[in-house]
Amino acid sequence: MDEGTKRMEEGLNSPLNEDGDKNDLKKQVTIKSSNGGSTVEHDRDTMAVDESAEPPLVKKKTKRVATLDAFRGLTIVLMILVDDAGEAYPRIDHSPWNGCTLADFVMPFFLFIVGVAIALALKRIPKKRDAVKKIILRTMKLLFWGIILQGGYSHAPDDLEYGVNMKFIRWCGILQRIALVYCVVALIETFTTKLRPTTLGSGHLSIFTAYKWQWLGGFVAFLIYMITTFTLYVPDWSFVDHFNGDEPKRYTVICGMRGHLGPACNAVGHVDRQVWGVNHLYSQPVWRRLKACTLNYPGDGPFREDAPSWCRAPFEPEGLLSSISAIISGTIGIHYGHVLIHFKGHLERLKHWILMGLVLLIIAIILHFTDAIPINKQLYSFSYVCFTAGAAGIVFSWFYILIDVLGLRTPFLFLEWIGMNAMLVFVMAAEGIFAAFVNGWYYEDPRNSLVHWIKKHVFDNVWHSERVGTIMYVIFAEITFWSVVAGVLHKLRIYWKL
């Protein structure tokens, strides 16, 4: 099967020509495969979707929606930027607690595009059993790679060692959260195929009623999260600090309350401590950058002498209860995919997408500024879900206007290339595996490696500033470099997907 066949959207006939709209001047594209001519849907989700549908017997004219790749690539680029430049520019790093920074958009953007891609990949399922097997297999692969990359086994890019003490292995992470959301949303989509109408009704809410089971799944996740967060009793708890001192020291955190949304006594952390154990949570939570914890706020630094004990405690930002809330992000994403499938005109799609994005943003702003439910990435609060999903919908809509409606693909090609090989760039760049490999070849001292030499002499010394040198290094030596690599791999039709 050639690359073009793999990259086309199944069933997305030229959106406006079918309805007689003359604004769409783009030609329809017919892709012939080596097995007789079929089209396969766009399925390069951010490390989380699969080709569940068999190729149809009848050749169809299709139009590729390049926005999907570009949006996925944008998310990877944001991750590289905030991960590697966040220390130099704390304002773009994760918010220490309430609030939303550039880094806080990365995870929900991942989950949003996961949902969009699932809707396209699973809209035709000839055999549910085969689809379920593929979903489960994909989920297991994501869990495996998540534990390898973020469980502690890999120490990339700076520490030239590997292995993890099983007493402190981290069970949760980015890919693990994607795996959970993907599995739940994809299974609901699979098992409700026969329960929804083939065509939508005339009402404005028909797109919602046609997919009521998906929304019911999101609502159940919402209820589980909200009820647990505001009713679960959080008792006093203790932990041993193994990482912030010469000798391990035990601390006790006084709680004894319900419905608390602060760092110390929230239900999200309590559930993770009970399920995974306190030693298996993330040992460097971003709340360490709060004013109460460090004098270097909003940056990281040594603890204040009067810092509360919980400043030293581990906390899991991709934990179980917060991942249940994250299912809502995937549900909103799959709704955008359903709109893409059912509505033929650009204007119809954009009206649904932009309106929903604005409504979600308004809900989030009201909840946050009335202090009802603050926007909080660490807790994955409902206001955070609405704010980031609304932002994702607006950005996705703008990309769709620029790339697929106006045809301005050239400025965004580098994002498309990265989006086509999202898993490769995520592992090699965002997780630092390639940099770790290069650092492994050094002269006398591990700091005498090519990566460190380039950063120091080509960027820091040229700009006479470590901060400016860092951002220049990230832009040119990482983002630009991997854009070129992804572009070459695209030309060679080489893709890595789970």
Side-chain angles (χ1 to χ4, degrees):
M1 184 181 295
D2 64 14
E3 180 273 333
T5 301
K6 293 179 181 178
R7 303 297 308 150
M8 298 301 293
E9 294 289 333
E10 178 185 7
L12 295 179
N13 295 333
S14 183
L16 294 182
N17 288 347
E18 289 184 353
D19 296 336
D21 194 326
K22 295 181 180 180
N23 291 330
D24 185 26
L25 302 178
K26 301 291 183 181
K27 288 186 177 180
Q28 295 181 349
V29 181
T30 302
I31 301 297
K32 294 185 178 180
S33 67
S34 57
N35 62 359
S38 62
T39 58
V40 180
E41 59 214 7
H42 190 299
D43 75 330
R44 292 188 185 277
D45 152 63
T46 309
M47 307 160 278
V49 298
D50 194 42
E51 294 180 38
S52 301
E54 295 177 353
L57 298 177
V58 180
K59 179 173 62 181
K60 290 186 178 181
K61 293 182 179 181
T62 63
K63 183 177 180 178
R64 171 180 169 180
V65 180
T67 299
L68 297 175
D69 281 328
F71 188 90
R72 188 179 302 116
L74 172 68
T75 307
I76 294 291
V77 166
L78 283 180
M79 172 174 274
I80 296 172
L81 178 65
V82 298
D83 280 357
D84 296 340
E87 185 175 353
Y89 296 87
R91 295 292 180 182
I92 69 172
D93 202 353
H94 290 291
S95 175
W97 199 245
N98 292 338
C100 192
T101 65
L102 188 62
D104 294 324
F105 288 102
V106 173
M107 172 57 75
F109 275 27
F110 271 139
L111 300 178
F112 175 87
I113 205 65
V114 164
V116 175
I118 288 174
L120 299 174
L122 301 182
K123 64 180 179 175
R124 284 189 181 180
I125 307 174
K127 295 180 181 179
K128 287 185 181 180
R129 182 177 299 178
D130 292 342
V132 170
K133 287 181 179 179
K134 290 181 179 181
I135 292 169
I136 298 301
L137 180 61
R138 178 61 55 83
T139 301
M140 298 305 294
K141 288 179 179 179
L142 287 166
L143 291 173
F144 170 78
W145 280 106
I147 292 174
I148 290 293
L149 294 171
Q150 293 194 300
Y153 186 85
S154 170
H155 301 270
D158 295 322
D159 293 340
L160 302 181
E161 60 183 27
Y162 63 89
V164 59
N165 182 349
M166 294 298 291
K167 181 179 179 180
F168 300 104
I169 188 172
R170 182 186 176 197
W171 296 116
C172 300
I174 295 171
L175 293 181
Q176 295 93 311
R177 172 167 284 175
I178 292 175
L180 174 65
V181 174
Y182 165 71
C183 185
V184 172
V185 175
L187 286 177
I188 293 175
E189 183 80 354
T190 298
F191 285 112
T192 59
T193 302
K194 305 297 183 182
L195 302 178
R196 55 181 182 259
T198 55
T199 58
L200 298 180
S202 57
H204 294 293
L205 299 179
S206 59
I207 186 68
F208 296 96
T209 57
Y211 293 94
K212 57 181 177 294
W213 294 103
Q214 282 79 353
W215 288 108
L216 179 61
F219 183 67
V220 169
F222 167 79
L223 286 180
I224 293 173
Y225 175 82
M226 295 296 285
I227 292 173
T228 306
T229 297
F230 288 99
T231 64
L232 183 65
Y233 177 77
V234 180
D236 300 345
W237 56 281
S238 63
F239 66 97
V240 176
D241 182 8
H242 295 273
F243 306 101
N244 300 297
D246 296 331
E247 296 293 334
K249 184 177 180 180
R250 178 171 291 277
Y251 295 89
T252 298
V253 181
I254 306 300
C255 291
M257 60 183 71
R258 306 176 193 271
H260 185 65
L261 299 179
C265 302
N266 57 78
V268 171
H270 178 62
V271 168
D272 289 327
R273 291 190 293 271
Q274 297 303 307
V275 174
W276 313 116
V278 70
N279 286 338
H280 299 287
L281 309 182
Y282 185 48
S283 62
Q284 306 292 323
V286 295
W287 71 30
R288 298 159 58 96
R289 296 178 15 238
L290 284 166
K291 286 183 179 179
C293 297
T294 178
L295 294 171
N296 288 358
Y297 170 85
D300 201 358
F303 291 114
R304 300 167 57 107
E305 292 184 3
D306 59 345
S309 58
W310 52 261
C311 290
R312 298 172 170 81
F315 180 82
E316 185 49 69
E318 276 84 40
L320 181 60
L321 184 58
S322 55
S323 292
I324 291 175
S325 177
I327 293 172
I328 307 172
S329 295
T331 302
I332 295 171
I334 205 170
H335 170 73
Y336 275 69
H338 292 152
V339 170
L340 186 62
I341 291 169
H342 287 285
F343 294 95
K344 305 300 181 182
H346 293 317
L347 185 59
E348 290 177 297
R349 291 171 175 174
L350 288 169
K351 282 195 302 184
H352 279 270
W353 290 342
I354 294 176
L355 179 60
M356 185 166 192
L358 292 176
V359 169
L360 289 171
L361 287 174
I362 291 171
I363 292 174
I365 291 171
I366 292 174
L367 290 174
H368 180 74
F369 286 101
T370 58
D371 290 327
I373 304 177
I375 294 173
N376 189 298
K377 189 268 179 187
Q378 308 305 311
L379 300 178
Y380 220 97
S381 63
F382 181 64
S383 57
Y384 172 75
V385 172
C386 293
F387 188 74
T388 54
I394 298 298
V395 173
F396 186 82
S397 299
W398 273 111
F399 268 38
Y400 184 80
I401 293 171
L402 295 173
I403 298 173
D404 286 292
V405 177
L406 300 180
L408 301 175
R409 286 184 64 180
T410 302
F412 303 97
L413 275 179
F414 78 102
L415 294 179
E416 284 191 55
W417 294 337
I418 292 176
M420 292 174 187
N421 249 315
M423 185 64 185
L424 176 70
V425 180
F426 172 83
V427 172
M428 293 297 177
E431 292 299 310
I433 300 301
F434 180 77
F437 172 79
V438 176
N439 284 340
W441 304 86
Y442 60 90
Y443 185 75
E444 291 186 343
D445 186 276
R447 300 293 296 182
N448 293 329
S449 69
L450 182 61
V451 171
H452 292 101
W453 187 91
I454 289 175
K455 186 178 185 304
K456 179 179 179 180
H457 294 282
V458 179
F459 293 98
D460 291 355
N461 290 351
V462 170
W463 291 95
H464 303 289
S465 169
E466 187 173 352
R467 292 185 77 219
V468 177
T470 296
I471 194 70
M472 291 295 107
Y473 173 82
V474 171
I475 292 173
F476 292 102
E478 294 193 38
I479 295 173
T480 302
F481 172 79
W482 285 105
S483 298
V484 173
V485 171
V488 172
L489 292 176
H490 170 60
K491 294 299 181 182
L492 297 175
R493 301 174 184 175
I494 297 174
Y495 306 100
W496 179 23
K497 63 175 184 175
L498 294 184

